[in-house]
Amino acid sequence: MKTRFLTIMCAIVLLGLQSCSCKKGAEAVAELSTSSWELAEINEKPIDKQDFAKIPTLNFDKTESRVSGNSGCNSMSGTFKVEEDKITFGPIMGTKMACEGTGENQFMTAFNTVQKFKLGKKLYLYDGVGNKALCFTKK
């Protein structure tokens, strides 16, 4: 009975490991660059579109290793670097328009914590302790 239980548990774990079709490294950079990414969640909660002047987006340029987009009101751009499942953003510059709503502040607070990512059908950005900070879908 115990052996059967262990066999079943091992099979479940192996299936779980194989089911993640997450991309890493150069493969991830190539995939990130294929489209624009639109924010869907902050800290695992769906965004309220009314909190933003416009929905935050990210665009990745693999040739220049640059990221650009908007943070919910202001335009932003800077550099990025991917190493396996780690992602770092260089200095990010942004415009400084005054905007209504709390969405941009929530987005930037979460964005500034990002250290890792998972890329499958969605782009998940994680903070330093492994919490999902942001989730994006292809636009």
Side-chain angles (χ1 to χ4, degrees):
M1 182 75 165
K2 191 175 186 179
T3 305
R4 182 176 222 169
F5 175 76
L6 288 174
T7 303
I8 292 170
M9 291 306 294
C10 287
I12 290 170
V13 168
L14 287 173
L15 277 173
L17 291 174
Q18 291 176 343
S19 67
C20 181
S21 60
C22 300
K23 296 172 178 68
K24 295 181 180 179
E27 183 182 14
V29 172
E31 178 71 21
L32 285 170
S33 300
T34 62
S35 68
S36 183
W37 296 89
E38 185 173 80
L39 183 66
E41 299 175 12
I42 297 176
N43 298 321
E44 299 190 60
K45 295 179 185 144
I47 62 166
D48 182 347
K49 294 180 179 184
Q50 294 182 2
D51 288 342
F52 298 92
K54 53 187 168 184
I55 305 303
T57 58
L58 293 179
N59 303 292
F60 294 88
D61 179 339
K62 69 179 179 180
T63 306
E64 300 289 325
S65 295
R66 297 201 51 83
V67 63
S68 63
N70 77 77
S71 56
C73 172
N74 288 288
S75 297
M76 56 187 274
S77 68
T79 60
F80 77 97
K81 182 177 180 182
V82 168
E83 292 178 358
E84 290 301 310
D85 66 342
K86 294 177 179 69
I87 188 165
T88 53
F89 295 98
I92 299 293
M93 299 175 289
T95 57
K96 301 215 182 241
M97 296 186 302
C99 302
E100 291 186 26
T102 60
E104 183 174 45
N105 187 46
Q106 292 171 12
F107 171 76
M108 289 308 296
T109 298
F111 182 81
N112 288 328
T113 68
V114 170
Q115 294 183 19
K116 290 190 172 191
F117 76 101
K118 282 188 182 174
L119 177 60
K121 292 185 181 199
K122 295 181 179 182
L123 169 61
Y124 293 100
L125 300 178
Y126 295 85
D127 65 18
V129 293
N131 298 314
K132 285 182 190 170
L134 300 167
C135 171
F136 291 84
T137 57
K138 282 188 178 183
K139 192 173 175 184

